[in-house]
Amino acid sequence: MDARTKMQESSSQLSATSYQSVPTFPLHSTNDKAIPLLGFGTAEYPFGASIDTMKQTILEAIEVGYRHFDTAALYQTEQPLGEAISDALRLRLIKSRDELFITSKLWCSDAHHDCVLPALKKTLKNLKLEYLDLYLIHWPVSVKPGEYELPVKKKDLVPIDLKSVWEAMEECQALGLTKSIGVSNFSCKKLETILSTAKIPPAVNQVEMNPMWQQKKLRKFCDEKGILIESYSPLGAKGTLWGTNRVMECELLKEIAQAKGKSLAQVCLRWAYEQGVCVLVKSFNKERMKQNLDIFDWKLSAEESRKISQLPQFKGFPAGEFVSDDGPYKSLEELWDGEI
Ligand code: A2P
């Protein structure tokens, strides 16, 4: 069964009590819980700037119905997410932590075999949780241990040993500290490298994906290998280090949104969902949070999808930060293995 059929089956089995009818997908994992295909992102740039408001924002997101949250050691949002979860339990917005799907990510300075388990334990401590639902290698990049910052210092870039880092990720899953493991920002070639030695294949590859960067090749590859794509920056992440205005200013998307009586953001989110991926979106505004959940009872027409599929492509975040004449990736071509 291909990923799409599996997803359709799983969404048709949704019970009336599931959160806001967000469809779910059974990941490759030790979890008896499936992943909700719409999640709430918590990367706010500059990192740490909105820590005070983040807990309240996440609490509001839980209140309006989000049950899937995405954080990372880099973002400095693990702690506010943990506090929001404690408050949500206390306020009885949720009955148990198990109702939530929580993802975090291993930062590049911990992408060394012996740093992985301590990094995950620190993440769990920040979150005040006993387990993650999903733990991802944030980038196919290692830097010398110690720093948690983006951009990384180019002089600190060192080659990543994917085999040994992935073995440590597998150990984390075997210990029950995370229910599933995956990667982020990986090309087909780097996924092949992991798959060639993995005992547990990556469940997820979280990548930039929106109508202006559709990831057609990577999606086909991941579908064949049973790896779920998660889309970050589905709205283009306007105003961030990794963002672009091109998505929210796209004339075609504006036209489609107007014709359908939906917002441009909803058109983007619906488009990504219809491609068979999990979508991670973030809004600090309660009305927009709700609006972004409201994408599951209408469709794009075949003609609208065809027009979107023909949009010129532009990668918002090529991540030149990880390229250096003296580092392991000497060009963007090498970092992305030509998928740029
Ligand atoms: P805000 O928090 O003010 O709503 P991405 O998910 O691609 O990273 O984009 C996140 C950005 O998009 C945030 O700046 C967020 O701003 C904005 N955003 C989120 N949802 C919507 C929406 N429905 N309409 C317009 N902008 C949105």
Side-chain angles (χ1 to χ4, degrees), residues 148-286:
Y148 295 82
E149 60 184 14
L150 186 70
V152 297
K153 293 194 184 80
K154 293 204 179 202
K155 68 173 178 46
D156 289 347
L157 290 163
V158 290
I160 186 165
D161 180 352
L162 284 178
K163 181 170 183 288
S164 73
V165 173
W166 189 252
E167 278 167 3
M169 295 289 284
E170 292 176 325
E171 196 187 321
C172 293
Q173 181 168 327
L175 288 169
L177 298 177
T178 182
K179 302 285 186 186
S180 42
I181 50 178
V183 297
S184 181
N185 298 299
F186 272 51
S187 65
C188 299
K189 188 171 168 197
K190 290 185 177 65
L191 283 170
E192 285 280 21
T193 305
I194 294 217
L195 288 167
S196 68
T197 59
K199 291 191 201 74
I200 306 174
V204 157
N205 186 16
Q206 185 183 122
V207 293
E208 176 183 348
M209 181 181 151
N210 55 52
M212 307 305 285
W213 192 245
Q214 301 188 8
Q215 298 276 20
K216 287 182 187 160
K217 177 181 169 196
L218 187 66
R219 280 198 274 129
K220 183 166 181 292
F221 178 87
C222 286
D223 217 20
E224 285 164 9
K225 303 289 178 189
I227 299 169
L228 179 69
I229 292 264
E230 288 185 340
S231 144
Y232 74 72
S233 304
L235 309 180
K238 193 172 163 175
T240 64
L241 175 70
W242 57 91
T244 168
N245 296 350
R246 291 188 192 219
V247 178
M248 294 303 277
E249 290 172 7
C250 170
E251 286 305 320
L252 173 68
L253 297 174
K254 280 184 194 167
E255 278 165 30
I256 294 175
Q258 198 170 19
K260 294 197 97 62
K262 301 288 174 191
S263 73
L264 188 152
Q266 286 175 310
V267 169
C268 289
L269 301 176
R270 178 72 204 183
W271 171 83
Y273 169 70
E274 286 185 8
Q275 309 315 302
V277 308
C278 173
V279 193
L280 300 170
V281 68
K282 173 195 68 196
S283 174
F284 274 33
N285 172 290
K286 202 166 179 179

Side-chain angles (χ1 to χ4, degrees), residues 8 10 15 22 42 47 59 86-87 91 102 110 119 123 131 137-138 143 150 219 231 235 275 289 332 340:
Q8 277 157 358
S10 121
S15 71
V22 171
T42 64
F47 303 119
L59 208 51
S86 301
D87 281 9
L91 296 167
I102 306 293
D110 288 320
T123 278
Y131 73 92
I137 301 178
H138 206 149
V143 300
L150 186 70
R219 280 198 274 129
S231 144
L235 309 180
Q275 309 315 302
M289 276 182 202
L332 289 174
I340 181 141

Side-chain angles (χ1 to χ4, degrees), residues 312-324:
Q313 295 296 284
F314 173 86
K315 185 161 178 46
F317 189 42
E321 288 77 358
F322 297 123
V323 170
S324 157

Side-chain angles (χ1 to χ4, degrees), residues 73 78 104 119-128 132 135:
E78 291 175 331
S104 192
L120 175 53
K121 287 185 175 166
K122 190 169 162 208
T123 278
L124 290 171
K125 197 169 166 210
N126 287 341
L127 285 159
K128 290 188 271 178
L132 290 180
Y135 196 40

